[in-house]
Amino acid sequence: QQEAAQAIQGLQRLPNSRFAPDEAVLNSQKRWSKLNRTFLRRLIRLCGMALGGLCDMLLFVAVPCSVVAYIAIGFLVLLVPGRMYKALLSDDIDGLKWETLWFLLTALGATLAKMIRAFLGELMGNFWRERITAKVHKRYACDNAYYVLQAEHPEVDNPDQRMVTDIRLFCEEFSNTLCGGRDGTGGVYEGVGNIVWYSYQTWHRSGPFGICVAFGWSTLVY
């Protein structure tokens, strides 16, 4: 009887409940999300849930640092073939040996940096999944939210299982978008870093005209 009374009180507080499903969401026939103010507000809320401690913040900062290291080492790798060709033209055998060794070291460093970036991305996704799942279920289990949801919205089937699945998919997709996926894609961090770094290198070597040519050609090709 006490649980039933608590459930009734929860139903009476339904309009003010944080867990009452949005009617616009339940009644909407559009399954695809839109990049609007509501999406950004929910994304910021989920990020706030995930970044709850110092370890989470350090890991979130370590991921772009690993991407910067990968871009920098990859740039050094790109410079080596030109120096090797120069050593061949000048018949500098010792210089060619050194450049070959340097190429192997930088290539190994780039591979390690890419592996560390992938590891940190997976670790961040798992940490976010654990933090968000724990906090969402903690809120779901308090204030009789599960009674309210099951009584007023029976069309929502297995809400706890759906929350776990949606959080897992969100964390995986968000981690892949930021850090790159297992298929070798670079992600947002690497894409933005490459644009900034190579734009600076183009500006430094050829000035504004080189920047205009590079971006113009990229726009026409892609």
Side-chain angles (χ1 to χ4, degrees):
Q1 294 179 354
Q2 184 178 1
E3 291 183 356
Q6 291 177 354
I8 294 174
Q9 293 177 1
L11 291 174
Q12 294 175 351
R13 295 196 301 269
L14 179 61
N16 299 324
S17 178
R18 295 173 298 174
F19 296 92
D22 191 352
E23 294 294 338
V25 175
L26 291 174
N27 297 329
S28 176
Q29 299 299 324
K30 298 180 180 180
R31 303 299 300 275
W32 299 102
S33 300
K34 294 182 179 180
L35 183 59
N36 51 21
R37 193 177 305 173
T38 302
F39 172 81
L40 294 178
R41 185 172 63 250
R42 292 173 178 173
L43 179 62
I44 294 174
R45 186 184 303 171
L46 289 173
C47 292
M49 290 182 180
L51 300 175
L54 180 61
C55 181
D56 300 324
M57 295 294 297
L58 293 177
L59 182 60
F60 185 72
V61 174
V63 173
C65 291
S66 65
V67 174
V68 170
Y70 172 70
I71 294 174
I73 299 175
F75 179 72
L76 295 178
V77 174
L78 293 177
L79 297 178
V80 173
R83 294 202 297 264
M84 294 177 66
Y85 183 72
K86 183 178 179 180
L88 286 173
L89 292 178
S90 60
D91 293 331
D92 186 4
I93 302 301
D94 293 334
L96 180 61
K97 292 180 180 179
W98 165 250
E99 294 298 340
T100 302
L101 178 61
W102 177 249
F103 173 76
L104 293 176
L105 292 176
T106 52
L108 179 61
T111 303
L112 291 176
K114 187 173 183 179
M115 292 175 60
I116 292 174
R117 183 199 67 184
F119 171 75
L120 292 177
E122 292 286 339
L123 187 63
M124 185 183 70
N126 290 332
F127 274 14
W128 281 38
R129 175 184 175 185
E130 179 183 358
R131 300 288 191 277
I132 296 176
T133 302
K135 291 183 179 180
V136 168
H137 273 78
K138 183 178 180 180
R139 295 185 180 186
Y140 175 66
C142 69
D143 201 20
N144 296 316
Y146 47 92
Y147 286 123
V148 174
L149 187 60
Q150 293 179 2
E152 288 295 313
H153 299 281
E155 69 276 8
V156 181
D157 187 29
N158 295 326
D160 50 350
Q161 182 179 357
R162 292 178 61 180
M163 283 188 292
V164 171
T165 303
D166 290 343
I167 292 172
R168 177 180 60 82
L169 293 176
F170 164 76
C171 293
E172 289 179 356
E173 291 298 327
F174 192 67
S175 175
N176 292 337
T177 301
L178 289 181
C179 310
R182 298 178 180 177
D183 55 352
T185 54
V188 174
Y189 283 149
E190 185 176 345
V192 174
N194 282 328
I195 292 174
V196 173
W197 175 251
Y198 288 103
S199 297
Y200 167 75
Q201 293 296 329
T202 305
W203 180 282
H204 180 69
R205 285 170 166 77
S206 58
F209 179 74
I211 286 287
C212 294
V213 171
F215 280 94
W217 177 254
S218 300
T219 303
L220 292 175
V221 171
Y222 296 103

